[in-house]
Amino acid sequence: MERIEIGHGSGGKLTRDLIEGLFLKYFKSPELHSLQDATYLPGFEKIAMTTDSFVVQPIFFPGGDIGKLSVAGTVNDLTVSGSVPKFISVSFIIEEGFPISDLERIVSSISKTAESAGVKIVTGDTKVVEKGKCDGIYINTTGIGDVKRELSPKFVKPGDVVIVTGFIGDHGISISLSREEFEVETEIKSDCAPLNSLLVPLFDVPGLRFMRDPTRGGLATVLVELSETSGLGVRIYEDRIPVRDEVRFICDMLGYDPLYLANEGKAVVVVDRKDADRTLEILKSHPLGKNSQVIGEVTEEKGVVLVTSVGGMRRLELLEEDPLPRIC
Amino acid sequence: MERIEIGHGSGGKLTRDLIEGLFLKYFKSPELHSLQDATYLPGFEKIAMTTDSFVVQPIFFPGGDIGKLSVAGTVNDLTVSGSVPKFISVSFIIEEGFPISDLERIVSSISKTAESAGVKIVTGDTKVVEKGKCDGIYINTTGIGDVKRELSPKFVKPGDVVIVTGFIGDHGISISLSREEFEVETEIKSDCAPLNSLLVPLFDVPGLRFMRDPTRGGLATVLVELSETSGLGVRIYEDRIPVRDEVRFICDMLGYDPLYLANEGKAVVVVDRKDADRTLEILKSHPLGKNSQVIGEVTEEKGVVLVTSVGGMRRLELLEEDPLPRIC
């Protein structure tokens, strides 16, 4: 088989061939191999569930692909909720005529990413639609986690510190540059990565209040939502926010604001000030957190304020419209 | 707002408007209202998980719509696995320009169906893609159930009876007729319905072995898969299989085989022969099961055989290609 045909979504023989010839080759968990429509999971006390559909364009980009992204995204959503990611479902909508070789690359990437994150893919689904009714492939992942620590904007207090776990904007810039032809040669790759090995150790920090991965809408959106939900304010300092020079340069060129660009391998972490050093130490001991930085603090008064490098104040708001749709 | 715009998938203000203005209007569970990326669920001992993406065309059809279908489908997958459906995630991929009024109809239908099935929608996601990159709307639902009874093709034994819970083929015919212009006037509606209230009472029947909802690929596909997985055979009798005269007539006209047509509100139930009467009694006492019928039995020799009404034998196989794609 070279290309996906309508019959691959029929539930009949061609579907079976696709499952046995391709998906099961990469997805090794016995739960999935039972091929039941629903999957038994060993029980635990308190579980978390999250879902995301991925429609990123292009599906292959520097630093990742839609498969890696779809696992990392769900793993990260579970992790920042204070849970250890355990199980994941994967559901495909595929366009007729989609190359099997591309699908194999994606499935392999899903498998690798899940393995590296220690999550099991336990159930799945495939639908095929006609040409022109999809953009190659869309993927939904839904995840289940074992809740270890309840985190919430409601736990945040004035004086808490706000940490970001590394350079922001890489994913957004990488996607943007891979869509268009630019004169610029760049080394920027998407930061797409599962963050559970970085962040789960923080569950033992007593002063940990809240975490969120700044994906669609970027760092600014996470902070605005944190402010709205907590009823408190956030003040961040421009010169402390880690942004690569190259990203800053390309943002200037294309008219993007790095604060609103998507990240797929970063977290915003809010902790009690007295646990800030310990938190930074844990984060910096991990390769994905070595550029972690305290970028600001929680304040009494609602709203998010950016203190610019020249000492000005700028209020951050929610975006009206995404400058770069379909980044995840 | 009249139509979906690209910004509705941005994660910013327009997304918020859509969530607060429309989704939260219908989805009432507090877990969803927390608006976290991942959701805490109260724990239970053993859980089941299932996922499905829905790409049905048309999205509104006699007897249902893509919203009702997406909840019923996942509820049914959990139920036939022997679990009580508890929690569901809903994830949308929506085409730019999709009418908000249609989305509202769908969201309302999701809400009503979930409520009638007693499942809570606990997390969700929305992506918007450009015109021509989707066919209006696609929906993924992923469900979590509380496992009460482990059911499996492996538990099936020769001599067990095979029951179908009512008329087959209604969904397939309804979808087919709503796609094209026919001279025939018909009353046939999709059978789309959550089956947990019908089937959960069977969990107390000691001889219950296996259940499956015959959706894509129909009754024949379920039985062929049962035979392959169990290593046993199935013999069914054409004159015992409930098919409406109208469905049979339209099948003859269009060249469909009702055994391969999708159902969205029926189950195949395999039970120990000595519990057949009790099972039928339970099923027939429910409006969705009043036309339940024993259609055959499990045999020693692998393969599925249809005994025709004139006494001939026909071997049933998996479909090579779906005669009617995108029925769910």
Side-chain angles (χ1 to χ4, degrees):
Chain A
M1 50 183 185
E2 285 295 314
R3 289 182 176 274
I4 289 287
E5 300 164 33
I6 283 288
H8 282 126
S10 71
K13 175 133 188 343
L14 285 176
T15 305
R16 172 82 63 86
D17 291 349
L18 190 65
I19 292 172
E20 292 183 349
L22 181 53
F23 298 151
L24 295 188
K25 196 166 132 194
Y26 290 98
F27 303 152
K28 301 292 187 191
S29 60
E31 286 86 352
L32 192 69
H33 279 246
S34 75
L35 288 180
Q36 297 295 318
D37 276 341
T39 302
Y40 302 115
L41 305 177
F44 27 70
E45 281 297 291
K46 196 166 188 188
I47 63 176
M49 179 180 191
T50 187
T51 190
D52 254 314
S53 290
F54 295 85
V55 298
V56 64
Q57 184 58 32
I59 55 180
F60 301 104
F61 48 82
D65 59 79
I66 191 171
K68 181 180 183 183
L69 191 63
S70 67
V71 176
T74 284
V75 162
N76 294 347
D77 281 347
L78 288 171
T79 306
V80 299
S81 82
S83 51
V84 176
K86 291 283 187 184
F87 303 107
I88 206 166
S89 67
V90 180
S91 180
F92 298 99
I93 298 172
I94 313 176
E95 191 177 8
E96 182 184 14
F98 189 74
I100 299 282
S101 54
D102 283 356
L103 182 58
E104 183 153 6
R105 253 176 96 183
I106 291 165
V107 168
S108 161
S109 174
I110 288 174
S111 167
K112 257 185 257 169
T113 312
E115 202 178 323
S116 80
V119 292
K120 280 185 183 180
I121 296 157
V122 291
T123 186
D125 179 48
T126 305
K127 297 282 158 43
V128 177
V129 294
E130 304 89 328
K131 256 193 183 306
K133 303 297 183 190
C134 178
D135 198 3
I137 187 167
Y138 300 145
I139 301 177
N140 174 280
T141 57
T142 301
I144 299 279
D146 190 358
V147 179
K148 294 296 183 190
R149 183 78 191 260
E150 282 199 39
L151 301 174
S152 166
K154 290 174 293 182
F155 300 158
V156 165
K157 292 190 174 63
D160 286 351
V161 300
V162 178
I163 295 170
V164 69
T165 61
F167 292 106
I168 62 162
D170 294 6
H171 180 73
I173 290 297
S174 158
I175 294 295
S176 179
L177 295 185
S178 51
R179 279 190 201 163
E180 304 182 52
E181 291 293 331
F182 287 104
E183 304 292 310
V184 232
E185 281 281 314
T186 171
E187 295 294 307
I188 296 166
K189 284 190 211 162
S190 165
D191 57 349
C192 175
L195 294 175
N196 48 341
S197 61
L198 172 70
L199 300 177
V200 166
L202 298 184
F203 296 171
D204 294 329
V205 174
L208 181 67
R209 317 277 204 210
F210 167 79
M211 299 198 287
R212 185 65 64 92
D213 52 334
T215 57
R216 283 191 291 184
L219 177 61
T221 302
V222 165
L223 297 178
V224 171
E225 290 183 347
L226 171 62
S227 165
E228 291 185 3
T229 320
S230 65
L232 298 169
V234 177
R235 174 178 302 237
I236 56 171
Y237 301 88
E238 193 171 28
D239 54 12
R240 294 193 203 163
I241 300 168
V243 184
R244 291 180 206 280
D245 290 342
E246 227 176 330
V247 168
R248 210 183 288 278
F249 173 78
I250 295 164
C251 277
D252 286 347
M253 203 173 71
L254 302 179
Y256 296 146
D257 182 342
L259 296 176
Y260 288 91
L261 281 181
N263 311 276
E264 292 290 344
K266 296 297 174 317
V268 175
V269 178
V270 180
V271 289
D272 188 339
R273 183 169 296 271
K274 69 179 191 297
D275 284 326
D277 289 345
R278 184 173 167 193
T279 303
L280 275 179
E281 196 184 315
I282 294 170
L283 290 172
K284 284 174 178 259
S285 70
H286 191 290
L288 292 173
K290 62 178 194 287
N291 298 305
S292 294
Q293 186 82 32
V294 173
I295 61 164
E297 65 265 332
V298 176
T299 58
E300 296 274 2
E301 202 184 329
K302 219 170 156 174
V304 179
V305 171
L306 174 75
V307 181
T308 66
S309 39
V310 296
M313 302 279 222
R314 184 185 141 206
R315 216 181 152 85
L316 303 181
E317 308 287 353
L318 284 183
L319 270 191
E320 286 290 322
E321 195 155 333
D322 201 332
L324 198 62
R326 295 184 57 196
I327 44 73
C328 66
Chain B
M1 49 184 184
E2 285 295 315
R3 290 182 176 272
I4 288 288
E5 300 166 30
I6 282 288
H8 280 127
S10 71
K13 175 134 188 340
L14 285 176
T15 305
R16 173 81 64 86
D17 291 349
L18 190 64
I19 292 171
E20 292 183 349
L22 181 52
F23 298 151
L24 295 188
K25 196 167 134 193
Y26 291 99
F27 304 150
K28 301 291 188 193
S29 60
E31 287 85 352
L32 192 70
H33 278 246
S34 74
L35 288 180
Q36 298 293 319
D37 277 340
T39 302
Y40 302 115
L41 304 176
F44 25 71
E45 281 297 292
K46 196 167 188 190
I47 62 176
M49 179 181 192
T50 187
T51 190
D52 256 313
S53 290
F54 295 85
V55 297
V56 66
Q57 183 58 32
I59 55 179
F60 301 104
F61 48 83
D65 59 79
I66 190 170
K68 181 180 183 186
L69 191 62
S70 66
V71 175
T74 284
V75 161
N76 294 347
D77 281 348
L78 288 171
T79 306
V80 298
S81 82
S83 50
V84 175
K86 291 284 187 183
F87 303 108
I88 207 167
S89 66
V90 181
S91 180
F92 299 99
I93 298 172
I94 313 175
E95 190 177 9
E96 181 183 15
F98 190 74
I100 298 282
S101 54
D102 283 356
L103 183 58
E104 182 152 8
R105 252 176 97 183
I106 292 165
V107 168
S108 160
S109 173
I110 288 173
S111 167
K112 255 185 258 168
T113 312
E115 203 178 323
S116 80
V119 293
K120 281 188 182 177
I121 296 157
V122 290
T123 186
D125 179 50
T126 306
K127 297 281 157 44
V128 178
V129 294
E130 305 89 325
K131 257 195 181 305
K133 304 296 183 190
C134 178
D135 198 3
I137 187 166
Y138 300 146
I139 301 178
N140 174 279
T141 56
T142 301
I144 299 279
D146 190 358
V147 179
K148 294 296 183 192
R149 183 80 191 261
E150 283 199 40
L151 301 174
S152 165
K154 290 174 295 181
F155 301 157
V156 166
K157 292 188 177 61
D160 287 351
V161 301
V162 178
I163 295 171
V164 68
T165 61
F167 292 107
I168 62 164
D170 294 5
H171 179 73
I173 290 298
S174 158
I175 294 294
S176 179
L177 295 184
S178 51
R179 282 190 200 164
E180 306 181 51
E181 290 294 330
F182 288 103
E183 303 293 310
V184 235
E185 280 280 315
T186 171
E187 294 294 308
I188 297 167
K189 284 191 209 163
S190 167
D191 57 349
C192 177
L195 293 175
N196 48 341
S197 62
L198 172 70
L199 299 177
V200 165
L202 297 185
F203 297 170
D204 294 329
V205 174
L208 181 67
R209 317 277 203 209
F210 167 80
M211 298 198 287
R212 186 64 65 90
D213 51 333
T215 57
R216 283 190 291 182
L219 176 62
T221 302
V222 165
L223 297 178
V224 171
E225 290 183 346
L226 171 61
S227 165
E228 291 185 0
T229 320
S230 65
L232 297 170
V234 177
R235 174 178 303 237
I236 56 172
Y237 301 87
E238 194 171 27
D239 53 12
R240 295 196 201 159
I241 302 169
V243 183
R244 292 181 205 280
D245 291 341
E246 226 177 330
V247 167
R248 211 184 289 276
F249 174 78
I250 294 165
C251 277
D252 286 347
M253 202 174 72
L254 301 179
Y256 296 146
D257 181 342
L259 297 177
Y260 289 91
L261 281 182
N263 310 278
E264 292 291 344
K266 296 298 174 316
V268 175
V269 178
V270 180
V271 288
D272 188 337
R273 183 169 296 271
K274 68 179 194 296
D275 285 327
D277 289 345
R278 182 170 167 194
T279 303
L280 275 178
E281 195 185 313
I282 294 171
L283 290 172
K284 284 174 179 257
S285 69
H286 191 290
L288 293 173
K290 63 177 192 289
N291 299 305
S292 294
Q293 185 80 32
V294 173
I295 61 164
E297 64 265 335
V298 176
T299 57
E300 296 274 0
E301 203 186 328
K302 219 170 156 173
V304 180
V305 171
L306 174 77
V307 181
T308 66
S309 39
V310 295
M313 303 277 221
R314 183 183 142 207
R315 215 180 152 83
L316 302 181
E317 309 285 354
L318 284 182
L319 268 190
E320 286 289 324
E321 195 156 332
D322 201 331
L324 197 62
R326 296 183 57 195
I327 44 74
C328 65

